[in-house]
Amino acid sequence: MSNRPIGIFDSGVGGLTVVKSLLERLPGESFVYYGDTAHVPYGSKSREELFQYAHDIIAFLLHQQVKTIVVACGTHSSVTLPELEKSCPVPILGVVKPGARAAVSATRCGKVGVIATQATVNSGSYTKNIKDIDPSLDVYSAACARFVPLIEAGILSGPETEQAIEEYVGPLLSQGIDTLVLGCTHYPFLAPLISRCAGQGLTLVDPACETVEELSEILRKGDLLNDRPDRNQREFYVSGNDESFYIVGRMLLGDVIRKVHRVDLY
Ligand code: DGL
């Protein structure tokens, strides 16, 4: 048993979709969340930049004595995690493998769409992980550069967001997909609008649910579940604007966010 926190990170509010699942599935756990808002969006950053950010954030989280790390970011799960997991001193997991598993279970017609950041799409991570499980599936991907700035600004509805959804998701629907992976952790906040725009018959996959299932298994097997759930801590740190994270974060997650600390790691 361990009452140490779980470390969770993303470029901004996207990883709160993982926090949301964590609060539902493992409400007694403590966590430290880091939103790298000084560098959002991650989707357009180079490999070198992403490695630099990941090293600094992981060092910060380890300093907070975390017992495990959740890379609550599709971009880092695709680009840096395969390298970082070789040397991380605590268990570390990302969202891509769980998301791929969930998509394979969900599809009936064998055609899966993936929407994600440019860096994630370029990495081919979702296609590879889905095809590793079932090579017969067809995977169609689209990079959605406009989504993250809209979500970081709390704009989850309205003509601008609807137009972006039609532009990105429309061509995937034309391919005949029945399952759409929300392959950037920001995107599940758009799920209600995507469902409305896409119509019935499209299953949306939020990788956060399966990621938290995997986390729960890791904690259980490692005897790391929190033995003092009554004394859990929930801390939020950002590298950039703490005020906008506080406002948009509370809009998305509610009053679990009590205070946001600004800490500059660079
Ligand atoms: N939410 C992250 C992801 O899943 C980062 C998005 C971004 O900052 O571009 O990819």
Side-chain angles (χ1 to χ4, degrees):
M1 302 297 244
S2 167
N3 55 12
R4 282 152 58 206
I6 296 161
I8 305 172
F9 75 92
D10 179 45
S11 62
V13 296
L16 297 181
T17 54
V18 175
V19 172
K20 214 170 165 194
S21 285
L22 180 70
L23 291 168
E24 282 161 18
R25 179 74 176 79
L26 298 168
E29 290 297 324
S30 295
F31 61 82
V32 177
Y33 184 92
Y34 189 87
D36 193 8
T37 53
H39 300 113
V40 65
Y42 275 165
S44 54
K45 299 293 187 291
S46 69
R47 240 181 109 73
E48 290 68 32
E49 287 170 310
L50 290 170
F51 269 100
Q52 180 64 55
Y53 305 153
H55 279 300
D56 290 342
I57 296 167
I58 289 173
F60 170 77
L61 293 174
L62 290 172
H63 190 71
Q64 309 292 314
Q65 308 294 325
V66 298
K67 59 185 174 187
T68 174
I69 294 175
V70 183
V71 181
C73 169
T75 306
H76 271 293
S77 300
S78 301
V79 179
T80 61
L81 180 61
E83 211 37 54
L84 296 171
E85 65 190 355
K86 294 180 193 158
S87 56
C88 190
V90 297
I92 183 166
L93 72 155
V95 291
V96 170
K97 284 187 181 165
R101 282 199 300 273
V104 173
S105 319
T107 184
R108 294 286 161 264
C109 76
K111 290 178 191 246
V112 176
V114 177
I115 51 172
T117 65
Q118 189 66 59
T120 297
V121 170
N122 289 351
S123 78
S125 62
Y126 268 105
T127 308
K128 179 180 182 313
N129 280 283
I130 290 170
K131 281 184 168 285
D132 278 353
I133 305 171
D134 186 345
S136 75
L137 300 183
D138 291 321
V139 185
Y140 305 92
S141 306
C144 311
R146 275 149 62 201
F147 282 171
V148 167
L150 286 167
I151 297 161
E152 284 291 321
I155 305 170
L156 307 184
S157 60
E160 205 186 338
T161 315
E162 275 175 38
Q163 201 194 3
I165 290 172
E166 264 150 40
E167 183 186 320
Y168 298 132
V169 180
L172 300 178
L173 292 173
S174 312
Q175 300 287 344
I177 60 163
D178 68 350
T179 301
L180 181 65
V181 182
L182 307 174
C184 163
T185 52
H186 280 75
Y187 300 174
F189 290 123
L190 293 180
L193 195 60
I194 294 176
S195 280
R196 185 137 55 82
C197 294
Q200 290 194 336
L202 182 68
T203 303
L204 299 184
V205 172
D206 174 359
C209 312
E210 185 67 21
T211 303
V212 171
E213 279 310 311
E214 187 176 327
L215 171 68
S216 162
E217 268 306 286
I218 291 172
L219 296 179
R220 199 183 54 75
K221 284 196 185 140
D223 196 20
L224 289 169
L225 284 160
N226 191 357
D227 54 345
R228 293 302 309 265
D230 52 319
R231 287 217 206 145
N232 62 3
Q233 289 174 348
R234 295 155 178 182
E235 306 272 1
F236 295 87
Y237 292 88
V238 293
S239 53
N241 189 333
D242 46 341
E243 222 168 289
S244 79
F245 185 94
Y246 179 83
I247 294 166
V248 177
R250 280 173 70 97
M251 179 187 126
L252 300 171
L253 195 66
D255 59 10
V256 175
I257 304 178
R258 301 232 158 122
K259 191 167 169 42
V260 178
H261 308 272
R262 188 175 170 161
V263 51
D264 195 356
L265 308 179
Y266 312 100

